[in-house]
Structures are given as structure tokens and as C-alpha cells.
Amino acid sequence: MATERITASCSSTLCNLNINGSQRKHLPLSPSSRFLGLPSRASQFFGSLRVSGSSSSKLSLSRLRTRRNFSVFAMAADDSKRAVPLKDYRNIGIMAHIDAGKTTTTERVLFYTGRNYKIGEVHEGTATMDWMEQEQERGITITSAATTTFWDKHRINIIDTPGHVDFTLEVERALRVLDGAICLFDSVAGVEPQSETVWRQADKYGVPRICFVNKMDRMGANFFRTRDMIVTNLGAKPLVLQIPVGAEDNFKGVVDIVKMRAIIWSGEELGAKFVYEDIPADLQELAQEYRSQMIETIVELDDDAMESYLEGVEPDEETVKKLIRKGTISGSFVPVLCGSAFKNKGVQPLLDAVVDYLPSPLDVPPMNGTDPENPEVSIARAASDDEPFAGLAFKIMSDSFVGSLTFVRVYAGKLTAGSYVLNANKGKKERIGRLLEMHANSREDVKVALAGDIVALAGLKDTITGETLCDPESPIMLERMDFPDPVIKVAIEPKTKADVDKMANGLIKLAQEDPSFHFSRDEEINQTVIEGMGELHLEIIVDRLKREFKVEANVGAPQVNYRESISKISEVKYVHKKQSGGQGQFADITVRFEPMDSGSGYEFKSEIKGGSVPREYIPGVMKGLEECMSNGVLAGFPVVDVRAVLVDGSYHDVDSSVLAFQLAARGAFREGMRKAGPRMLEPIMKVEVVTPEEHLGDVIGDLNSRRGQINSFGDKPGGLKVVDSLVPLAEMFQYVSTLRGMTKGRASYIMQLAKFDIVPQHIQNQLASKEQEVAA
Ligand SMILES: Nc1nc2c(ncn2[C@@H]2O[C@H](COP(=O)(O)OP(=O)(O)OP(=O)(O)O)[C@@H](O)[C@H]2O)c(=O)[nH]1
């Protein structure tokens, strides 16, 4: 349904209604109808209203903004009419280090844009965006939540992402479908390790950003240090658009460098008003300094503006904003703002900056893809309702009402409830049941989704994360998403027979939702193993199995997901020959195994010329090798960074078969890998510990005892020390409780995957003999 924009500016007694810009009617208001009472009054009123262009419209009220200038949106009969022009869309993410205030900021955004009447606080477990039980109990974000809201006639689709490194996939997939992002920093801690990680992820997807230095009210807040860290730690070019007025308890507001005026909040309660004031005398010089820096930076983007500036004429406000927008979108610099989301200061100017400086879907390059039938042919789809439909499924969420929801970013065209689309990756058609606009965990049915929208689809059967949905008449396959491989695993065993089926069902659903979670079952030893990105990740999975799927299970100790690889080239000839009555089996192959660069995975290549191995038998070789790759020769871990090349072979007219070649490949793998200097690899984590100085010695001693390699030391505000180290993941289990005990709970740490490295020989030997015991 298209939305007619009806704005209502209300005094205490009268509501002046404008429909699509032209004033129509005055609605008298009783005192009680001014706030929550308005929707019912207004909808009665709209019910009898005729809107130009759709005279038969039955109008119902769908949105109400709770600011003094109300904006009310009514649904009109024409489904496919666009209510908000594409240029006024902003698809943005909020991302940062854990606890920087992403959820708090999003909650404020929802309040000030009128989406929520009541604010949810993270520490009270009432945040709208942290809707999972586990999120509310732990006060952290686990799954990215999507919501839509409106600001200054712009439609803003927001994704709030988790900060914890175990849920980094959530950030990755959000970035894949967003056009812009707000990067939050804690003004006391500055740029923290996970901010660096998400910054690099945003670089990878070329996502333009603005920075918001949050928590300016905290003791030790320092805007300018954070600004400097954006340069040193992120290698980015900050463009300061605001400087703080006061800090810590005395934080009052900001100086707006674009308009050269102060914005001061009268209080810190929710909805506190702000006023514009002259720049305080003690900040005038500093503000002027940043203004000059800003102007000098932006005029470089435009020859005319530069010429005028050199002649002594500064660009006007409109040009300044236009150039800031241009530079932000092209990544020449990142605007930096500040505030305190918790104390309700700085949120409205942040929303203005989202609208003014972050791109609409029209400002980013068209989506590129390929022809699914012919991957060599590239296809570009511009962001437009008139293009054939193309969208990317970026998240699956199991849902107790509708089974599962598939989140889709629509890049081009229209998606209509009840229609059929093509899953380009699987070549299968899917019927679109319901189309839902999501607001954290609540939802509204819509009939059509248009280019630029983020919607959830109910009822898809085969589509998984990362797959393309498109118009069956104009197929396109958009670039797939990368998923990280799990680094840790635990064995899990259902407590009773009744739990067996429930667990299998739960694991399938959870793995569909989360491509960084894997599970496998070994029938021989009757064991199920779950694999994920860290202890917290697997803890949450087990907790969800219990709550959502009512599965009681015993969980083993966490273990590292080691890998196996090779250190040199080997070449083996293997003949599989069997002649014991009936038809015989014969396959002869020569395979070369070559080491590849770290992160390359596994590759198969055939160099067969002249049909020494007929074409129909090559899939047998591929299959045999692939089967073995999940089970290395040293201790049965997955094999990575290896290329297997089928060099030569021979066959028998009667006795050769695909199966015979598959068995030959297995034999070749076992022999070839042993000759290629097999070795075991383990995940090495970058661990950063922040500790009071008096515990520094203990922290370092403990890291050393864990095979840690200390890289550097540093200082943090408040007399704290930072230790940066590399430690094998195998030595980091339960580190949180050791660190807590050692420092009386005063130190904290963060770790993330740095690389895979060779496991020391004595540990390799232990792992191999353990594997032999299990096998025996
Ligand atoms: N003093 C102060 N505290 C804040 C501010 N913003 C957030 N907080 C507090 O910081 C804590 C973390 O806030 P969240 O909003 O959960 O942070 P997050 O970045 O969403 O955290 P994760 O989702 O777990 O990564 C909560 O206790 C908030 O109340 C702020 O501006 N000032």
C-alpha cells in the first residue's frame, strides 16, 4: 500500500492537518486526545476523508509521531505507489565495540522519531531492540535487530548490531546490506579493539560512516582523544562537525561547527528540550579553529568552492552540507559528532546528520551480480522500482508464529505478497507468503516492498542466508556473503530419549539462522558436536535449545577446532583393484597435493589430457577427495589450504566405475597427505587485557603460562594498563573467571581471532594419540 503523508501540527486545542503538503482541515483536540488519544480521533477523522488520486481509499492510521509536530501516515488504496522517495531512504547500521551504547542510542532514536512512546533501558532489560530473553538477561545484543522509523520526512531503516566478537557474523551480514553506518565510540575508552574490527569490515564493504562519540557524561570522557584515536588506530580522516560544551557531569551540549552555534539541553531526562545559543566565550577560538579545518577539507572536493575560498569567500551553509555529504559518501573523511545517548543529549543532531550526510540507495553504486546461467556475464541492477526485482536474503530468524522469517534487502524492483520469485542460487521458485515490516520483534503486514526496503518474508522454504531472490523473468545472482568458520566445538548429548528428535530439529533450525554455527553427528560413537565462534556463542545456542526447543542436554568441555594442512608438495600414484568374483573394480590415478596460502580452503584441479581418465570418472575422484578433506590424516581435523591436482591415470573398459575412482581418490589422499609434511594448525587469538597497574605482573605471568606472546603495553585513562598479546585459543577457556579471581574483578579483556598457526609438536602428538584412543 502506498502511504499518503499527512502531517499534523498541533497546538493545545487544534490540530492543523496537511495532506501531501496542502492544508485541508483543522481538527479540534480535547486535552486527552493530544498525546495517545490522537490516533483514534484522527483515524475516525481520516475515515471519512477522501485523498486525491485514490478517491475510493479507505484510510486507516498507521503511524503517529509523538513530537509536537505530529506526522501521521495513512494507507491509501494504490499498493505500489511510493510514499517516501528513494532519495529520502537511509538504510543504516549502528556498530561499535561491546557496551559503547549502540542499543541505548537506537532506543533514543526510536523515541525521538516517535516510534516508541516509552524508552527501554538496556540495564533494566527493557530495550526494544534487545528483544531476545538472553539479550535482556545479559544486557548484550546477540542478534541484529531491524526497525524502521521516520525523521524529517526520511525513512530510516536501522539495524542495531552486536558488539561481542562471537557474533561478528551478525555485523558482517548487516554491513553487506546497509548503505551507511553510525560508528559509536565510548568517549572514555576511545577506539576499542572491536571498533577496529567493525571499521575494517565496513571498509571491506565500502560503507560510508559517521562517528558518534558517546558517553560524554562519563568520568574521564575525552572527545579530542577519541578523535585522535580515529586517526591513529583506524587510519581514517575525521571531520569534526561538533565539539562538546563541557564534559563528564558538566556536559551540557555541543557546538555545531556547520551553523556555528551552540545546542544546549535543558536537562537530561527523556525528551529534555534543547535551545540554540551563542557559542560560549571560552570555546569560540576552538570552534573557529575546527570550522577553518572543516572548510579547508571540504573545499578540496569542489573547484568552484575552492576558488571562492581562496578569494576569501566561505561556502554558504547549503554548499557546506552538500560537500560534507559528498566527502562522506566517497569516504574522503568521516564526520564526527558527540553526545550522551543515556543522558538524552545529542541524539536529534545525530539524526539530522544521518539524513544530511549518509547515502540513500541512489547514492551508492548499483548492485552487481552475474547471470546464474552464465557466471561470466555480469549484470548491474540500479536502485529503482522500475527495474526487475532483485534482493538478498541476509538473515533467517526462527519465529514461533510463522515458522521462520527471511530478512531481505530489496535492491531493485518490487516484491509483492502472494507472488513467485526465483532463488537464483538454487534455481527454484519460492512463493512469497506474507511480507512484514519489522520493528525489533513486532511486525506489520505490508503488501508490497519497494527498492531500498528491508522486509521479512514469511513462508520461504528453501532460501538460506546469502542467497539471491529475483524476478524469474530476469535472473541475477548477487555476490554471496562470506561466513567465518567456527573455531570452537563442544559435544552435546540429549538427556532423555524424548530429547533426541527435539534436539535434531532445534539444531537444524539454529544452523539455518546462523551460518557461523555448525553441527555434526558421528553415528559410530553416537555423538553430536556443535561448533561456533566462541564460548559465549555456544552457550547461547545451548540456552536457546533449552528455552525455544525445550531440549535438555549435557554439554561437554569446549574444544578447539584444529585444522590440518601440509607443508610441501607430494605426488602419489594409487591403483584401486579388486577382482573377487563378479565384476571387478579398477581405477588408477596420480594426484599431486600442493600447499596453498592461509585462508585458501581446498581446491581441486584436473590436468588430464587425452582422456587417460575419462571425463565421466573425474567427479568420482573429486568426491573421494572431498570426503577425506573433513578428516585429516593426523588427528581427523578438517584439512585446509590444500590443492589436489589430478595429473594422470588409466582405466579399464569393463571394470572401471565412478565408485572405483572415488575409492582410489581416498587411497591417494591418505598416502599423498602423509608424504606432504602434514601439520596441525590452531586458532591464535589477539587478546587485549585492561588491568589496574598493581595486577599487571600477575596478568603477564598468567598470559605467558598460557603460551602467550606479549606484543605491547599501553596506558588507559584512570591509571589502567593495557596488555596486547597473542594466545592460542586452546589456552583461553574459562579465562574470564581466572582473570576475575586474579584481579578481584577489576580487569577486563577482549579477544578475537588473529590467525591460524602451527601447533607445537608435543601438543600435536597428544592430540594425535587422543584421536587414536577414540578410534580404538
Ligand atoms: N554514562 C553513560 N552510559 C551509557 C551511555 N550510553 C549507554 N550507556 C550505558 O552503557 C551500557 C551499555 O549500553 P548498550 O546500549 O547496551 O551498549 P551496546 O553497545 O548496545 O552493547 P552490546 O550490544 O552488548 O554490544 C548500559 O549500561 C547503558 O546504560 C551514555 O551516553 N552515558
Side-chain angles (χ1 to χ4, degrees), residues 534-725:
E535 281 178 281
L536 180 61
H537 187 197
L538 292 183
E539 216 179 280
I540 299 285
I541 295 274
V542 172
D543 197 39
R544 289 189 63 190
L545 275 176
K546 195 168 171 180
R547 290 189 203 211
E548 292 167 37
F549 301 93
K550 312 283 177 257
V551 178
E552 291 294 332
N554 294 319
V555 180
Q559 289 171 29
V560 172
N561 233 355
Y562 292 94
R563 310 271 196 271
E564 295 186 21
S565 192
I566 52 174
S567 51
K568 57 182 187 196
I569 297 177
S570 73
E571 191 168 300
V572 287
K573 178 178 167 66
Y574 192 90
V575 183
H576 174 76
K577 203 171 172 185
K578 232 173 176 184
Q579 200 75 58
S580 51
Q583 191 191 333
Q585 287 182 15
F586 180 87
D588 161 24
I589 51 173
T590 301
V591 183
R592 191 171 65 238
F593 294 91
E594 301 170 356
M596 285 199 295
D597 289 342
S598 169
S600 309
Y602 160 67
E603 210 177 282
F604 172 81
K605 209 171 133 195
S606 167
E607 285 180 358
I608 295 295
K609 288 191 191 88
S612 59
V613 176
R615 197 184 286 176
E616 65 265 33
Y617 296 143
I618 293 180
V621 179
M622 282 166 75
K623 190 159 179 233
L625 289 170
E626 238 164 59
E627 282 165 357
C628 296
M629 287 296 162
S630 58
N631 212 344
V633 291
L634 289 177
F637 291 107
V639 177
V640 293
D641 308 333
V642 170
R643 182 185 295 118
V645 187
L646 177 60
V647 188
D648 201 0
S650 67
Y651 66 103
H652 185 273
D653 282 339
V654 180
D655 292 345
S656 284
S657 65
V658 173
L659 181 67
F661 275 92
Q662 192 176 328
L663 294 172
R666 287 193 195 178
F669 173 85
R670 279 191 304 273
E671 271 188 23
M673 291 298 286
R674 285 210 182 89
K675 284 188 182 163
R679 55 189 193 178
M680 229 179 257
L681 304 174
E682 64 178 338
I684 306 289
M685 311 305 282
K686 180 177 184 311
V687 181
E688 191 189 285
V689 185
V690 178
T691 172
E693 190 163 5
E694 70 230 60
H695 299 298
L696 185 64
D698 292 338
V699 168
I700 294 173
D702 179 66
L703 286 172
N704 282 331
S705 74
R706 294 170 186 269
R707 295 196 277 137
Q709 174 196 321
I710 311 291
N711 280 348
S712 66
F713 300 104
D715 293 301
K716 282 243 163 167
L720 295 172
K721 294 281 169 199
V722 192
V723 186
D724 205 347
S725 60

Side-chain angles (χ1 to χ4, degrees), residues 99-104 122-123 140-141 163 214-215 217 340-342:
D99 272 359
K102 296 175 292 296
T103 306
T104 307
V122 175
H123 55 258
I140 55 162
T141 305
N214 189 32
K215 303 199 183 184
D217 61 298
S340 161
F342 187 54

Side-chain angles (χ1 to χ4, degrees), residues 95-108 121-123 130 138-142 160-164 184 186 212 214-219 339-345:
M95 49 196 54
H97 186 85
I98 189 161
D99 272 359
K102 296 175 292 296
T103 306
T104 307
T105 306
T106 312
E107 294 291 322
R108 263 57 184 183
E121 292 296 358
V122 175
H123 55 258
D130 282 351
R138 294 166 195 244
I140 55 162
T141 305
I142 294 167
D160 169 31
T161 59
H164 197 286
L184 283 194
D186 174 340
F212 184 69
N214 189 32
K215 303 199 183 184
M216 281 304 302
D217 61 298
R218 273 189 65 196
M219 211 160 78
S340 161
F342 187 54
K343 299 286 167 91
N344 298 295
K345 293 174 183 171

Side-chain angles (χ1 to χ4, degrees), residues 96 144 273 282 301-302 304 424 461 545 580 594 641 673 728 744:
S144 54
K273 302 245 170 352
D282 60 333
L301 300 172
D302 185 280
D304 291 346
K461 294 210 163 51
L545 275 176
S580 51
E594 301 170 356
D641 308 333
M673 291 298 286
K744 302 188 181 68

Side-chain angles (χ1 to χ4, degrees), residues 49-66:
L49 195 77
R50 285 177 173 246
V51 177
S52 55
S54 54
S55 56
S56 63
S57 305
K58 272 212 181 108
L59 297 168
S60 67
L61 189 73
S62 80
R63 302 231 194 296
L64 172 77
R65 282 170 146 197
T66 53

Side-chain angles (χ1 to χ4, degrees), residues 4 36 79 137 146 216 248 295 343 350 384 398 403 457 481 531 551 558 560 627 642 671 679 763:
E4 298 292 341
L36 291 173
D79 283 347
E137 283 167 9
M216 281 304 302
E248 305 180 344
I295 298 288
K343 299 286 167 91
L350 175 65
S384 157
S398 67
L457 312 182
M481 299 162 71
E531 300 173 33
V551 178
V560 172
E627 282 165 357
V642 170
E671 271 188 23
R679 55 189 193 178
I763 297 178

